[in-house]
Amino acid sequence: MNRSSVLPPIGPPVPVALPPLADVRLENGLRVIAARHASTPMTELRLAIPLHVESFADAAVQEVLAASLLGHTAAGEQGPADDGLAASGSLLSATRSARWLGVAGSGPSSLLPLQLDVLARSLARPRFTDDVVRAVTVRARGQLAATRAQPQLIASEALVEHLYGPLPQMQDVPREADLAAVGHEQVRLAHRQCVRPDRAALILVGDLDPDLAVEQVARAFAEWEAAGTTTWEATGGPLLPQPRARTIARVPRPGATQTQIRLVRPGLARTDPGFAALTLANIVFGGYFSSRLVAEVRERHGLAYRCESIFRDHLDQLVVAVEADTATEHGRRTLDHLRAQLRRMRTEPPTSAEIEAARRYVTGMTALAASSQQGWASSLMLALATGQEPERISRILDDFTAVTEDDVAAAAGRFFDPDDFHGVVIGDSPTPFETEKFL
């Protein structure tokens, strides 16, 4: 049976409309965005505080701060409220990256005031005693060995070291010696310097009244104030240094059974008018399961467990990252195929069919995110974190619809030259090769 005879044609993308929301900056400087999305009787919470300021580049202190932030408030203040939060099915968890301290939460909308109260007390009146910090540090050190043995982390750190040299601002996972040296005074100082409402943004999405939710936040967070009198201004963090190496280097990893290939080149800011065209070109190249990279490197030649082209944030700069994980004996051959596919993007620009498939994919993923509370919470936070406003989300589909074939071809020619990609090949290569042989 011909599938076209039974499947209806795909219609135009459904516009993404912002849900009803309130966007308010409180007296203490905290920006609050509360959006109504009543698909379930739940509320999603996201809090983000930038950490990539020059005065706060110690990954070990950041790690301990995040791990000890929740659940350790001033003596005598924990009790029924925190027990009720856990018993209700509400969750709060703190995480950190090289750039952000974040808190994510979810729970029944009826218990949002309780959740906000627990979070506000943790932020405004933390209990960073020596015993608390020591216990958190011991636990983190116990988990560190397994984390630092992950090939993905090894590859990421090797790439940063090769391109930029020592760059502590991009260290996502601290080293054990650094963790062991963290004391409670350092954590307290870091909290005073960085965990401030005038730097933070709080997102609430769920079955709620936006204006009422903002009032609840204002009451709960009234005691959270910025330490000192200096007004903080967003500077975008430290600028990424110019790469010190513009080569593809082999990084030996004796005994490794896999080889990781990591190549990057500068991209465009998400606010750039050409970002939509670059996105579609990147999807065609290696951004999803039907991409050229997956079809050739993984499916046709069976060379890679994983291969893709994605956008990554290197401090203030977005880069196009081409990545592949392969068997040790296939490292060189896989790299050759990656470079060949990059070259093909310039000699054989994306076709109409490829561009339309990529457009359908990205509009479908956008619509999928807009269908859930979690998706909206993450989308709103990403917009703020990348210097955009919530209204930008509702215009994304228009941007992708407006991109022409010539726009995508131009992006492919500009951003997919193999000679512009530099990075590392990490593994236990059976046939040693020098860096210049890659070029």
Side-chain angles (χ1 to χ4, degrees):
M1 179 182 294
N2 188 339
R3 294 182 64 193
S4 63
S5 65
V6 295
L7 294 178
I10 299 176
V14 178
V16 175
L18 280 177
L21 60 80
D23 186 349
V24 177
R25 189 171 294 276
L26 304 183
E27 290 186 4
N28 62 2
L30 176 65
R31 184 174 181 180
V32 183
I33 297 179
R36 177 170 177 77
H37 192 294
S39 56
T40 67
M42 303 284 286
T43 293
E44 290 290 320
L45 177 153
R46 301 288 187 273
L47 174 75
I49 306 171
L51 295 178
H52 58 301
V53 290
E54 293 181 1
S55 62
F56 191 61
D58 191 325
V61 177
Q62 292 180 13
E63 191 74 18
V64 177
L65 172 61
S68 55
L69 184 63
L70 298 176
H72 298 285
T73 53
E77 291 189 0
Q78 283 191 282
D82 305 278
D83 294 339
L85 184 64
S88 71
S90 297
L91 301 173
L92 282 174
S93 62
T95 58
R96 64 158 289 274
S97 67
R99 301 180 64 194
W100 299 94
L101 172 67
V103 176
S106 64
S109 296
S110 60
L111 296 181
L112 178 60
L114 175 61
Q115 192 175 39
L116 292 173
D117 177 68
V118 173
L119 175 58
R121 286 191 286 112
S122 297
L123 294 167
R125 301 192 296 276
R127 182 171 171 255
F128 298 128
T129 66
D130 187 50
D131 289 343
V132 167
V133 170
R134 186 183 302 112
V136 168
T137 302
V138 169
R139 184 168 63 250
R141 291 172 64 188
Q143 301 168 345
L144 198 59
T147 302
R148 295 203 64 82
Q150 294 297 315
Q152 300 295 337
L153 177 63
I154 294 172
S156 176
E157 292 190 343
L159 174 68
V160 171
E161 176 71 22
H162 173 64
L163 292 180
Y164 311 116
L167 200 62
Q169 297 96 325
M170 286 184 65
Q171 189 178 60
D172 281 322
V173 179
R175 302 186 183 279
E176 184 175 2
D178 296 332
L179 269 177
V182 175
H184 65 280
E185 289 297 337
Q186 292 170 283
V187 179
R188 289 177 179 176
L189 176 61
H191 181 272
R192 289 196 300 270
Q193 288 179 331
C194 295
V195 183
R196 301 164 50 123
D198 55 341
R199 301 181 179 186
L202 177 67
I203 305 291
L204 299 173
V205 178
D207 185 8
L208 51 80
D209 178 284
D211 295 326
L212 177 60
V214 170
E215 293 176 6
Q216 293 171 335
V217 173
R219 285 195 295 270
F221 286 76
E223 294 186 28
W224 187 26
E225 298 179 349
T229 58
T230 301
T231 301
W232 178 82
E233 295 182 1
T235 62
L239 297 178
L240 187 71
Q242 290 294 318
R244 68 176 188 178
R246 295 184 180 276
T247 59
I248 301 174
R250 185 175 74 87
V251 178
R253 190 178 173 220
T257 58
Q258 291 186 10
T259 289
Q260 278 75 43
I261 301 173
R262 301 292 184 266
L263 309 177
V264 300
R265 66 142 296 151
L268 292 173
R270 291 180 175 87
T271 54
D272 192 285
F275 183 70
L278 174 58
T279 299
L280 292 182
N282 188 67
I283 292 172
V284 171
F285 174 67
Y288 73 140
F289 49 85
S290 296
S291 67
R292 291 183 177 187
L293 207 58
V294 172
E296 289 293 316
V297 177
R298 179 174 178 174
E299 295 181 1
R300 181 179 177 186
H301 297 284
L303 289 174
Y305 308 106
R306 180 184 75 91
C307 59
E308 62 179 337
S309 179
I310 58 178
F311 297 135
R312 294 199 182 277
D313 291 291
H314 282 190
L315 296 183
D316 60 305
Q317 186 173 90
L318 194 76
V319 300
V320 182
V322 178
E323 304 180 354
D325 299 333
T326 185
T328 296
E329 63 271 21
H330 296 317
R332 175 56 189 266
R333 187 179 170 205
T334 302
L335 178 63
D336 289 342
H337 278 282
L338 294 182
R339 289 173 56 80
Q341 289 305 310
L342 284 167
R343 192 172 298 109
R344 182 184 163 212
M345 284 289 287
R346 307 187 76 205
T347 60
E348 301 177 33
T351 65
S352 299
E354 287 177 316
I355 295 171
E356 187 58 28
R359 202 189 319 261
R360 293 287 185 185
Y361 173 77
V362 72
T363 54
M365 295 300 293
T366 302
L368 184 62
S371 69
S372 70
Q373 296 167 337
Q374 297 93 330
W376 266 110
S378 297
S379 297
L380 286 167
M381 186 54 72
L382 177 62
L384 296 188
T386 54
Q388 302 177 83
E389 294 301 313
E391 292 75 16
R392 171 67 177 165
I393 300 173
S394 63
R395 298 196 301 268
I396 287 178
L397 294 186
D398 292 337
D399 291 345
F400 287 117
T401 301
V403 171
T404 67
E405 292 182 29
D406 289 341
D407 294 334
V408 178
R414 177 182 174 188
F415 291 98
F416 292 88
D417 185 339
D419 293 334
D420 290 339
F421 282 82
H422 313 292
V424 292
V425 179
I426 306 161
D428 186 6
S429 175
T431 55
F433 39 73
E434 298 299 327
T435 298
E436 55 266 22
K437 291 185 180 180
F438 284 125
L439 304 180

Coordinates of all heavy atoms in Angstrom, one line a residue, residues 360-394:
R360 N 10.7 21.1 9.6 CA 9.7 20.3 10.2 C 10.1 19.8 11.6 O 9.4 19.8 12.6 CB 9.2 19.1 9.3 CG 8.6 19.5 8.0 CD 7.2 20.0 8.3 NE 6.5 20.3 7.0 CZ 5.3 20.8 7.0 NH1 4.6 21.2 8.1 NH2 4.7 21.0 5.8
Y361 N 11.4 19.3 11.6 CA 11.9 18.8 12.9 C 12.0 19.9 14.0 O 11.5 19.7 15.1 CB 13.3 18.2 12.7 CG 14.0 17.8 13.9 CD1 13.6 16.6 14.6 CD2 15.0 18.5 14.5 CE1 14.2 16.2 15.7 CE2 15.6 18.2 15.7 CZ 15.2 17.0 16.3 OH 15.9 16.6 17.4
V362 N 12.5 21.0 13.7 CA 12.7 22.0 14.7 C 11.4 22.6 15.1 O 11.2 23.0 16.3 CB 13.7 23.1 14.2 CG1 13.1 24.0 13.1 CG2 14.2 23.9 15.4
T363 N 10.5 22.8 14.2 CA 9.1 23.3 14.5 C 8.4 22.3 15.4 O 7.6 22.7 16.3 CB 8.3 23.7 13.3 OG1 8.2 22.6 12.4 CG2 9.0 24.9 12.6
G364 N 8.6 21.0 15.0 CA 7.9 20.0 15.8 C 8.4 19.9 17.3 O 7.7 19.8 18.2
M365 N 9.8 20.1 17.4 CA 10.4 20.1 18.7 C 9.9 21.3 19.5 O 9.7 21.2 20.8 CB 11.9 20.0 18.6 CG 12.4 18.7 18.0 SD 12.0 17.2 19.0 CE 12.9 17.5 20.5
T366 N 9.8 22.4 18.9 CA 9.3 23.6 19.5 C 7.9 23.5 20.0 O 7.5 23.8 21.1 CB 9.4 24.8 18.6 OG1 10.7 25.0 18.1 CG2 8.9 26.1 19.3
A367 N 7.1 22.9 19.2 CA 5.7 22.6 19.6 C 5.6 21.6 20.7 O 4.7 21.8 21.6 CB 4.9 22.1 18.4
L368 N 6.5 20.6 20.7 CA 6.5 19.6 21.8 C 6.8 20.3 23.1 O 6.2 20.0 24.1 CB 7.4 18.5 21.4 CG 7.5 17.3 22.4 CD1 6.2 16.6 22.5 CD2 8.6 16.4 22.0
A369 N 7.8 21.2 23.1 CA 8.2 21.8 24.3 C 7.1 22.7 24.8 O 6.9 22.8 26.0 CB 9.5 22.7 24.1
A370 N 6.3 23.3 23.9 CA 5.2 24.2 24.3 C 4.0 23.5 24.8 O 3.1 24.1 25.3 CB 4.8 25.1 23.1
S371 N 4.0 22.2 24.7 CA 2.9 21.4 25.2 C 2.9 21.0 26.6 O 2.0 20.4 27.2 CB 2.8 20.1 24.3 OG 3.8 19.2 24.6
S372 N 4.1 21.2 27.3 CA 4.2 20.8 28.7 C 4.7 21.9 29.6 O 5.3 22.9 29.1 CB 5.2 19.6 28.7 OG 6.6 20.1 28.5
Q373 N 4.4 21.7 30.8 CA 4.9 22.7 31.8 C 6.4 22.7 31.9 O 7.0 23.8 32.0 CB 4.2 22.4 33.2 CG 2.7 22.5 33.2 CD 2.1 21.9 34.5 OE1 2.7 21.1 35.1 NE2 0.9 22.4 34.8
Q374 N 7.0 21.5 31.9 CA 8.4 21.4 32.0 C 9.1 22.1 30.8 O 10.1 22.8 30.9 CB 8.9 19.9 32.0 CG 8.4 19.2 33.2 CD 7.1 18.5 33.0 OE1 6.2 18.9 32.2 NE2 6.9 17.4 33.7
G375 N 8.5 21.9 29.6 CA 9.1 22.5 28.4 C 9.0 24.0 28.4 O 10.0 24.7 28.0
W376 N 7.9 24.6 28.9 CA 7.8 26.0 29.0 C 8.7 26.6 30.0 O 9.4 27.6 29.8 CB 6.4 26.4 29.3 CG 5.5 26.7 28.1 CD1 4.5 26.0 27.6 CD2 5.7 27.9 27.2 NE1 4.0 26.6 26.4 CE2 4.8 27.7 26.2 CE3 6.6 28.9 27.1 CZ2 4.7 28.7 25.1 CZ3 6.5 29.9 26.1 CH2 5.5 29.7 25.1
A377 N 8.9 25.9 31.1 CA 9.8 26.4 32.2 C 11.2 26.4 31.7 O 11.9 27.4 31.9 CB 9.7 25.5 33.4
S378 N 11.6 25.4 31.0 CA 13.0 25.3 30.5 C 13.2 26.3 29.3 O 14.2 26.9 29.2 CB 13.3 23.9 29.9 OG 13.2 23.0 31.0
S379 N 12.2 26.5 28.5 CA 12.3 27.5 27.4 C 12.4 28.9 27.9 O 13.2 29.7 27.4 CB 11.1 27.3 26.4 OG 11.1 26.1 25.8
L380 N 11.6 29.2 28.9 CA 11.7 30.6 29.4 C 13.0 30.8 30.1 O 13.6 31.9 29.9 CB 10.5 30.8 30.4 CG 9.1 30.9 29.8 CD1 8.1 30.8 30.9 CD2 9.0 32.3 29.1
M381 N 13.5 29.8 30.8 CA 14.8 30.0 31.5 C 15.9 30.1 30.4 O 16.9 30.9 30.6 CB 15.1 28.9 32.4 CG 16.3 29.1 33.3 SD 16.4 30.6 34.2 CE 15.1 30.4 35.4
L382 N 15.9 29.3 29.4 CA 16.9 29.4 28.3 C 16.9 30.8 27.7 O 17.9 31.4 27.4 CB 16.7 28.3 27.3 CG 17.7 28.4 26.1 CD1 19.1 28.2 26.6 CD2 17.3 27.3 25.1
A383 N 15.7 31.3 27.5 CA 15.6 32.7 26.8 C 16.3 33.7 27.7 O 17.1 34.5 27.2 CB 14.1 33.0 26.6
L384 N 16.0 33.7 29.0 CA 16.6 34.7 29.9 C 18.1 34.4 30.0 O 18.9 35.4 30.0 CB 16.0 34.6 31.3 CG 14.5 34.9 31.4 CD1 14.1 34.9 32.9 CD2 14.2 36.2 30.8
A385 N 18.5 33.2 30.1 CA 20.0 32.9 30.2 C 20.8 33.3 29.0 O 22.0 33.5 29.1 CB 20.2 31.4 30.5
T386 N 20.1 33.4 27.8 CA 20.9 33.8 26.6 C 20.6 35.2 26.2 O 20.8 35.6 25.1 CB 20.5 32.8 25.5 OG1 19.1 32.8 25.3 CG2 21.0 31.4 25.8
G387 N 20.1 36.0 27.2 CA 19.9 37.4 26.9 C 18.7 37.8 26.1 O 18.7 38.8 25.4
Q388 N 17.7 36.9 26.1 CA 16.5 37.2 25.3 C 15.3 37.3 26.2 O 15.3 36.9 27.4 CB 16.2 36.0 24.3 CG 17.4 35.8 23.3 CD 17.2 34.6 22.4 OE1 16.5 34.7 21.4 NE2 17.7 33.5 22.8
E389 N 14.2 37.8 25.7 CA 13.0 38.0 26.5 C 12.0 36.9 26.1 O 12.1 36.3 25.1 CB 12.4 39.4 26.2 CG 13.3 40.6 26.6 CD 13.5 40.5 28.1 OE1 12.5 40.3 28.9 OE2 14.7 40.6 28.6
P390 N 11.0 36.7 27.0 CA 10.0 35.6 26.8 C 9.3 35.7 25.4 O 9.0 34.7 24.8 CB 9.0 35.8 27.9 CG 9.8 36.4 29.0 CD 10.8 37.3 28.3
E391 N 9.1 37.0 24.9 CA 8.4 37.1 23.7 C 9.1 36.5 22.5 O 8.5 36.1 21.5 CB 8.2 38.6 23.4 CG 7.2 39.3 24.3 CD 7.8 39.6 25.7 OE1 9.1 39.5 25.8 OE2 7.0 39.9 26.6
R392 N 10.4 36.3 22.7 CA 11.2 35.7 21.6 C 10.7 34.3 21.3 O 10.8 33.8 20.1 CB 12.7 35.6 22.1 CG 13.6 34.8 21.2 CD 13.8 35.5 19.9 NE 14.7 34.8 19.0 CZ 14.9 35.0 17.7 NH1 14.1 35.8 17.1 NH2 15.8 34.3 17.0
I393 N 10.2 33.5 22.3 CA 9.8 32.2 22.1 C 8.7 32.1 21.0 O 8.6 31.2 20.2 CB 9.4 31.5 23.4 CG1 10.5 31.5 24.4 CG2 8.9 30.1 23.2 CD1 10.2 31.1 25.8
S394 N 7.7 33.1 21.1 CA 6.6 33.1 20.2 C 7.0 33.4 18.8 O 6.2 33.3 17.9 CB 5.5 34.0 20.7 OG 6.0 35.3 20.8

